[in-house]
Amino acid sequence: MGQLFSSTPKDEDHGDLESSFTEYFKNYKEESKIISKETVRLIELHLKKGNIQGANSAISDALKNIDTVPINVAVTGESGAGKSSFINALRGVKDEEEDAAETGVTETTMAITPYKHPKIKTLTLWDLPGIGTMKFPPKDYLEKVEFKKYDFFVIVSTTRFTKYEVDLAKAIRLMKKNYYFVRTKVDSDLENEKKCKPRTFDREKTLNQIRSSYLHILRDNGISEPQVFLISNHDSSDYDFPVLVDSLFKELPAQKRHNFMLSVPNITEAAIQRKYDSAKQFVWLEAMKDGVLSTVPIVGILKDSDVEKLEASLSHYRVLFGVDDESLEFMAKDAQVPVEQLKKNLKSPYLLQTKNEETLGGKLLKYLEKFASANGGLLATGLYFRKSFYLQFHFLDIVTEDAKVLLREAYSKI
């Protein structure tokens, strides 16, 4: 066990490193990669030339950029359209929580108000005054709200998009930014329709009618290829909310996708899987930088510092995937069940618990043997990572499955 995965790259292995790196990133679609094509090509070029230090530097720069690059989302629209509730839904925060965006039936945002994501500090959602309340022409409005700093605009409505919002969308497009039309409170529309037509009510037909009416109005007003997302701020797993999040994620620059995806609440299994894929790419790049590309031989044992980092990593993953103790307490309170009932089908809360004379280091080495057996001893042909990274992948697998278990349980109670 002491020498499992131990190896030091030789000069003739550089070609294997390049091909392994290339093959790994082929597993991900272009819109899902967390590093750009240019960065991938640069790393491949360095590896091809045997420039290990250059590849190491390129990966370090990419990881630093991912960790620090700001993501700014602008949310605007008519008075009372549900902008603040939409911001809270994207942040995974309930309207009545302490740091929630203020909600109300009247226009509560008369000034530009930033809201940091509670878990992803590089992500800020900006609650902008509705353009109709500002009484500025679109160009002046965009200058007033400093449009250049936003990655994209979400234009929210609850009844119909006015001339103000349509003109604003055109101005945003002229300034080469993306915008998304979001129609909130469709759950209320469906409920009213069902009350009015209890015998003939058809959910999908009603949603299609709402969507078609909006698309027709937008086309008539010069928006050539409009997209309208129908959502409920109080049920982010239903309607078009998951599709909207998908669209936002895919159209972001590569280096911003990772943190944006990690910020998304666990609204569907697909969202959890995408969060997992993003986190796995990040850990894989860290492993490349600190393992394969290191000139120091890979150590055959787990040091105390490795164990501490692994404890921190597991805690971090549990928070990001919403299976940490605090999140479980909130879920248990909402579901009105004991927290232990939620935990009974989960594995991650107990991963680092030891019994009797067992040491944490010894337990981790057993996990490592199990991981090695399940994965053929290597994550990818020709790559030899430090043991701590294999365990990080193991933790990611367990935490991701726990998040899916909780989601399935939530669905089963609906």
Side-chain angles (χ1 to χ4, degrees):
M1 183 69 193
Q3 296 303 311
L4 190 63
F5 308 148
S6 294
S7 178
T8 306
K10 302 173 184 177
D11 290 343
E12 59 266 26
D13 292 331
H14 296 150
D16 290 338
L17 293 181
E18 181 209 349
S19 62
S20 296
F21 180 88
T22 302
E23 283 301 313
Y24 181 78
F25 277 96
K26 277 184 180 176
N27 293 327
Y28 296 96
K29 294 179 180 177
E30 202 57 50
E31 67 268 18
S32 298
K33 292 177 183 176
I34 65 171
I35 55 176
S36 66
K37 284 182 183 178
E38 293 73 23
T39 302
V40 171
R41 289 194 193 106
L42 178 61
I43 295 167
E44 288 171 344
L45 183 62
H46 284 310
L47 291 174
K48 188 173 185 177
K49 292 180 176 179
N51 182 3
I52 299 299
Q53 188 54 47
N56 200 329
S57 178
I59 293 176
S60 294
D61 289 344
L63 290 170
K64 184 178 179 181
N65 199 21
I66 289 169
D67 264 340
T68 59
V69 66
I71 308 168
N72 291 293
V73 179
V75 182
T76 185
E78 63 185 12
S79 173
K83 291 179 295 173
S84 298
S85 290
F86 175 73
I87 286 172
N88 291 336
L90 270 184
R91 295 167 69 228
V93 173
K94 294 186 181 298
D95 288 345
E96 294 181 345
E97 287 184 32
E98 188 176 337
D99 63 343
E102 185 182 352
T103 60
V105 295
T106 59
E107 177 63 56
T108 55
T109 308
M110 295 306 292
I112 301 168
T113 310
Y115 291 94
K116 287 281 186 185
H117 191 277
K119 296 177 182 177
I120 307 300
K121 301 307 178 186
T122 56
L123 173 60
T124 307
L125 294 105
W126 298 81
D127 198 347
L128 306 185
I131 183 172
T133 64
M134 299 289 281
K135 307 205 184 321
F136 293 145
K139 186 173 182 298
D140 294 344
Y141 173 85
L142 288 173
E143 288 177 359
K144 183 79 173 175
V145 300
E146 300 178 87
F147 78 95
K148 288 183 180 178
K149 72 182 175 188
Y150 306 112
D151 290 285
F152 51 79
F153 288 75
V154 177
I155 303 172
V156 179
S157 172
T158 189
T159 51
R160 63 186 180 85
F161 293 106
T162 68
K163 185 177 185 301
Y164 288 118
E165 281 86 51
V166 172
D167 289 345
L168 178 60
K170 291 176 182 176
I172 293 169
R173 177 55 69 194
L174 282 173
M175 294 175 175
K176 303 191 185 307
K177 295 274 185 178
N178 287 333
Y179 63 86
Y180 305 86
F181 286 114
V182 169
R183 167 62 156 81
T184 62
K185 304 182 183 179
V186 293
D187 48 341
S188 298
D189 292 322
L190 291 175
E191 193 175 323
N192 291 335
E193 183 75 4
K194 191 173 183 178
K195 284 179 181 177
C196 293
K197 302 175 182 178
R199 287 184 298 171
T200 59
F201 172 73
D202 184 318
R203 172 187 155 117
E204 290 308 312
K205 183 179 177 182
T206 304
L207 287 173
N208 285 334
Q209 286 173 342
I210 295 170
R211 193 190 316 278
S212 295
S213 67
Y214 275 94
L215 294 176
H216 181 72
I217 291 168
L218 291 172
R219 289 190 185 107
D220 282 353
N221 283 275
I223 305 291
S224 58
E225 295 181 10
Q227 286 189 87
V228 177
F229 298 90
L230 309 181
I231 72 165
S232 162
N233 288 329
H234 303 294
D235 188 356
S236 52
S237 64
D238 202 358
Y239 310 105
D240 291 340
F241 205 106
V243 183
L244 170 63
V245 169
D246 233 29
S247 299
L248 303 181
F249 169 79
K250 289 176 182 177
E251 293 184 30
L252 277 172
Q255 72 271 22
K256 298 191 179 190
R257 290 176 192 148
H258 175 65
N259 277 333
F260 183 79
M261 199 61 239
L262 293 184
S263 76
V264 175
N266 296 340
I267 52 180
T268 62
E269 284 204 28
I272 294 171
Q273 186 62 37
R274 181 160 278 173
K275 190 181 291 191
Y276 168 78
D277 289 342
S278 187
K280 194 172 181 182
Q281 286 181 67
F282 193 89
V283 176
W284 199 89
L285 286 167
E286 284 189 314
M288 282 286 290
K289 177 177 71 73
D290 293 342
V292 173
L293 303 183
S294 175
T295 56
V296 179
I298 296 171
V299 181
I301 60 170
L302 285 170
K303 299 178 181 177
D304 289 343
S305 58
D306 291 327
V307 173
E308 289 173 10
K309 287 177 183 176
L310 285 165
E311 289 180 290
S313 292
L314 177 59
S315 176
H316 178 61
Y317 298 148
R318 289 185 67 204
V319 169
L320 287 179
F321 283 79
V323 297
D324 57 298
D325 290 344
E326 185 178 356
S327 296
L328 292 173
E329 291 282 358
F330 275 118
M331 284 183 227
K333 188 176 180 181
D334 280 349
Q336 296 183 320
V337 298
V339 70
E340 291 307 319
Q341 185 174 324
L342 290 181
K343 281 187 174 182
K344 70 178 181 180
N345 293 323
L346 306 183
K347 295 179 181 177
S348 61
Y350 312 107
L351 273 176
L352 300 184
Q353 288 185 3
T354 55
K355 297 177 182 177
N356 304 325
E357 300 300 313
E358 184 182 32
T359 65
L360 181 53
K363 185 169 188 176
L364 289 171
L365 287 174
K366 287 180 182 177
Y367 285 145
L368 188 62
E369 279 188 323
K370 186 177 179 181
F371 181 89
S373 175
N375 292 273
L378 294 171
L379 185 71
T381 305
L383 301 184
Y384 298 85
F385 296 156
R386 293 181 187 276
K387 290 182 177 182
S388 57
F389 286 109
Y390 286 94
L391 286 165
Q392 284 197 50
F393 289 125
H394 177 62
F395 290 169
L396 260 179
D397 289 342
I398 299 298
V399 169
T400 300
E401 186 52 41
D402 278 357
K404 291 179 180 179
V405 166
L406 285 176
L407 185 66
R408 289 180 202 126
E409 288 183 358
Y411 277 140
S412 69
K413 291 179 173 60
I414 293 176

